Amino acid sequence: MINSYTGSDDAAVATAGARAGADVVRDMYGRRLPRVDKGAGDFATAADIEAEKAILGVIRAARPEDAVLGEEGGRQGPVGAVRQWLVDPLCGTLNYAVGNMLVAVNVALRDGAAAVADPFGGEVFCTDGKSAWVRRDGAEDAPLTPTPATGLVDVNLDPPFPSAPGFRAVDLLAHPEFVGRFRPRVVSTTLALAWVAAGKRAAYVTDGGDLSGSVHFAAGIAVCRAAGCVVTGIDGAPLGEAGRGLVVAADDETHGLLMSMIRR
């Protein structure tokens, strides 16, 4: 089956990889899994490792000349490869390890196609770099349409906090204007980033450095951009080496409101 992807376009490869990883994550759910300690309270489970292997199998079969940067395996593939895939096989490992199904599988070609799979929701959020859509089992692909209608804003409260004390995500939740306009959510997985593109969230906010090339965020950022979301750093600047963190909003008004709160 893997060989059938050889002639596919990059979006098909990203989608197939994300679905392969999601299959592993779903199949291994609920087991007592060995853990690999990464330090500072972080760890990987056997599901993270096996899901990454499944994703790499798809990419290697379809794009053998490309490099891969994996959350668990690091950089792999031909030295000097022009193209690189960014793979986060299980975003929300702590959720998963305690039986919470809020997790994501992220596969992105740097500056290209990407897919974010929800293993338990049966959805894959995809982009070819130009348009964005959601794929559901047994249904036709549907375009992603961001909207601020829910008023729900996911704020990532996981450390580190490189912008403190100038910006602390937790302070945003107590801002009077935030409380008056939005309702906070904290799901601790970048699945919430894809939800902004899908209209399930009005916005997503996280601190951090340059996240544009992060295995955790690259796929979600690509999907949101292609869907028409407003995507900047927490300082309002475009993402890149000088950027900090991430603010993704369904529209300009929501983005402007959040930026005004962050700046104050």
Side-chain angles (χ1 to χ4, degrees):
M1 181 176 293
I2 290 177
N3 289 336
S4 66
Y5 304 127
T6 303
S8 302
D9 60 28
D10 290 331
V13 175
T15 301
R19 296 185 80 162
D23 287 345
V24 173
V25 169
R26 190 169 51 252
D27 289 346
M28 298 184 72
Y29 177 75
R31 304 182 193 177
R32 291 180 61 86
L33 300 174
R35 298 186 181 187
V36 177
D37 184 17
K38 296 183 177 182
D42 193 15
F43 62 90
T45 69
D48 296 69
I49 295 169
E50 293 304 315
E52 183 163 303
K53 288 179 181 178
I55 296 167
L56 290 178
V58 172
I59 295 174
R60 285 171 177 159
R63 299 290 185 265
E65 296 182 358
D66 292 355
V68 177
L69 178 61
E71 164 72 1
E72 309 308 331
R75 196 185 194 289
Q76 302 179 51
V79 176
V82 174
R83 306 192 336 153
Q84 184 183 57
W85 293 82
L86 305 170
V87 174
D88 182 359
L90 178 49
C91 186
T93 299
L94 181 55
N95 286 351
Y96 185 80
V98 298
N100 187 319
M101 294 181 179
L102 288 174
V103 300
V105 177
N106 298 312
V107 179
L109 176 64
R110 189 183 289 271
D111 301 321
V116 178
D118 177 351
F120 300 101
E123 296 179 316
V124 186
F125 307 93
C126 317
T127 178
D128 56 6
K130 297 178 181 178
S131 59
W133 61 92
V134 59
R135 178 165 296 173
R136 301 181 180 93
D137 293 337
E140 293 185 4
D141 293 350
L144 291 175
T145 307
T147 172
T150 66
L152 301 177
V153 176
D154 258 295
V155 181
N156 181 17
L157 300 182
D158 291 341
F161 310 114
S163 298
F167 170 75
R168 297 180 190 273
V170 68
D171 293 336
L172 181 63
L173 305 184
H175 194 291
E177 290 185 36
F178 186 96
V179 175
R181 180 64 182 263
F182 303 114
R183 290 293 178 268
R185 292 294 184 272
V186 181
V187 301
S188 297
T189 169
T190 53
L191 179 60
L193 189 52
W195 285 348
V196 181
K200 298 182 179 184
R201 294 289 190 269
Y204 177 90
V205 180
T206 184
D207 196 358
D210 174 16
L211 301 180
S212 60
S214 165
V215 296
H216 307 292
F217 292 93
I221 290 171
V223 169
C224 285
R225 279 177 166 162
C229 300
V230 182
V231 181
T232 72
I234 59 173
D235 54 0
L239 301 185
E241 293 182 4
R244 292 187 300 121
L246 186 63
V247 178
V248 176
D251 63 354
D252 288 319
E253 180 183 5
T254 301
H255 184 268
L257 285 169
L258 289 169
M259 290 308 308
S260 69
M261 297 175 202
I262 289 171
R263 285 167 177 155
R264 293 203 298 270

